[in-house]
Amino acid sequence: MFHQTDVRTLLPGMLPFPTDVFVDDQPWLAAHLLPLLSIDLGVLRPELAGTVATMLCPIEPYEGCIGDETTEHHNAFTGSNWIAFELTGDNRMRFLGNAGYFIGDQVDDTDAVEHIAEMRESYAKAHAYFQAHGRLASYSRYGDGEPGEQAYLDTLGGQISGGNWTETAEIPPAFEISLDPSMYDRDRPEDAENVRITRDGKPFFAVAEVAGYNWCAAGADAIVMLYEPDSRTVLFSYDWT
């Protein structure tokens, strides 16, 4: 099983700040999600070579979890702290939820408006730094205003990790999750499965994790990205440690 941590060198099939990520009939996604890194899944499973999914960082929320304020727009594929996409045949991301799931610029809160602007600005600065230097640097709100070089990913491949993201909010109905109660037992085998997530009985596998603030001003402590090959579903959740 391929497993790498602190990924600071781009592997074949990885592209930071990709464009043309979203399907044409959902152009509004670009207002809510920042494309961080496209990943050819063949690096994890050779049979998936040419299947390219994109790590996405939501611009919201300012507080709480994404989707907390828009429960009336949740569906079988989205909920608080969970969003899902279908990966099309040409490797573009189709959101499986409703447009109303995202608050975006309609938010009525001065601090949240400033947060949205800061996320976009810091992402643009990080993109410019990459173009100039060929490395990733974050303009985190927790820093001194200067760019701090970061890993592209904190984890690539491996087992689906345990974390509070598995229990922060109920998983949407299209998916099932089971947790090994002994996942934090020091005596467990290293290759034991901590978390199992399925769609129609077919298991997801771990693609990658990264802190939102590796790329942007702020964000989750871990954006968790999973993939199920048969349905070509990309599933995201967020760990707030």
Side-chain angles (χ1 to χ4, degrees), residues 4-74:
Q4 187 173 334
T5 60
D6 195 41
V7 179
R8 293 177 180 266
T9 300
L10 293 171
L11 300 179
M14 286 186 175
L15 176 66
F17 305 99
T19 58
D20 297 324
V21 168
F22 306 114
V23 294
D24 289 339
D25 59 350
Q26 293 180 332
W28 42 268
L29 287 172
H32 307 292
L33 299 158
L34 302 172
L36 305 185
L37 183 72
S38 61
I39 304 169
D40 190 318
L41 301 180
V43 73
L44 303 177
R45 297 191 175 187
E47 68 273 18
L48 294 179
T51 301
V52 180
T54 301
M55 173 67 79
L56 302 171
C57 180
I59 292 175
E60 56 191 71
Y62 169 64
E63 291 184 321
C65 293
I66 190 169
D68 277 354
E69 304 300 322
T70 57
T71 55
E72 67 275 19
H73 295 286
H74 293 182

Side-chain angles (χ1 to χ4, degrees), residues 111-129:
D111 290 333
V113 170
E114 291 178 356
H115 167 82
I116 290 170
E118 185 182 22
M119 290 291 284
R120 291 174 177 160
E121 180 182 4
S122 61
Y123 176 81
K125 286 182 177 179
H127 190 186
Y129 187 96

Side-chain angles (χ1 to χ4, degrees), residues 39 41 44 53 55 153 155-158 205-209 225-227:
I39 304 169
L41 301 180
L44 303 177
M55 173 67 79
L153 297 170
T155 302
L156 177 64
F205 66 84
V207 176
E209 295 185 16
M225 179 181 181
L226 312 172
Y227 186 70

Side-chain angles (χ1 to χ4, degrees), residues 29-222:
L29 287 172
H32 307 292
L33 299 158
L34 302 172
L36 305 185
L37 183 72
S38 61
I39 304 169
D40 190 318
L41 301 180
V43 73
L44 303 177
R45 297 191 175 187
E47 68 273 18
L48 294 179
T51 301
V52 180
T54 301
M55 173 67 79
L56 302 171
C57 180
I59 292 175
E60 56 191 71
Y62 169 64
E63 291 184 321
C65 293
I66 190 169
D68 277 354
E69 304 300 322
T70 57
T71 55
E72 67 275 19
H73 295 286
H74 293 182
N75 66 6
F77 299 97
T78 60
S80 293
N81 214 45
W82 295 92
I83 57 175
F85 298 79
E86 175 194 352
L87 187 63
T88 65
D90 59 352
N91 293 323
R92 299 173 85 180
M93 305 283 276
R94 175 179 296 281
F95 184 51
L96 293 176
N98 303 311
Y101 176 87
F102 299 100
I103 300 175
D105 291 330
Q106 299 179 56
V107 65
D108 185 21
D109 181 296
T110 301
D111 290 333
V113 170
E114 291 178 356
H115 167 82
I116 290 170
E118 185 182 22
M119 290 291 284
R120 291 174 177 160
E121 180 182 4
S122 61
Y123 176 81
K125 286 182 177 179
H127 190 186
Y129 187 96
F130 175 77
Q131 291 177 314
H133 303 283
R135 297 183 299 277
L136 176 65
S138 170
Y139 291 79
S140 169
R141 70 169 57 142
Y142 311 110
D144 56 6
E146 296 298 317
E149 293 192 359
Q150 306 287 346
Y152 295 104
L153 297 170
D154 295 324
T155 302
L156 177 64
Q159 296 276 10
I160 298 177
S161 67
N164 60 26
W165 64 274
T166 63
E167 301 175 298
T168 297
E170 186 175 355
I171 197 167
F175 314 110
E176 292 187 356
I177 185 170
S178 59
L179 309 178
D180 185 338
S182 68
M183 70 172 69
Y184 300 113
D185 187 341
R186 294 181 179 179
D187 296 327
R188 296 176 77 247
E190 290 186 2
D191 60 350
E193 188 176 62
N194 295 329
V195 182
R196 180 176 174 83
I197 297 177
T198 59
R199 177 179 178 183
D200 299 326
K202 304 293 180 62
F204 285 83
F205 66 84
V207 176
E209 295 185 16
V210 69
Y213 44 79
N214 276 29
W215 295 76
C216 305
D221 295 294

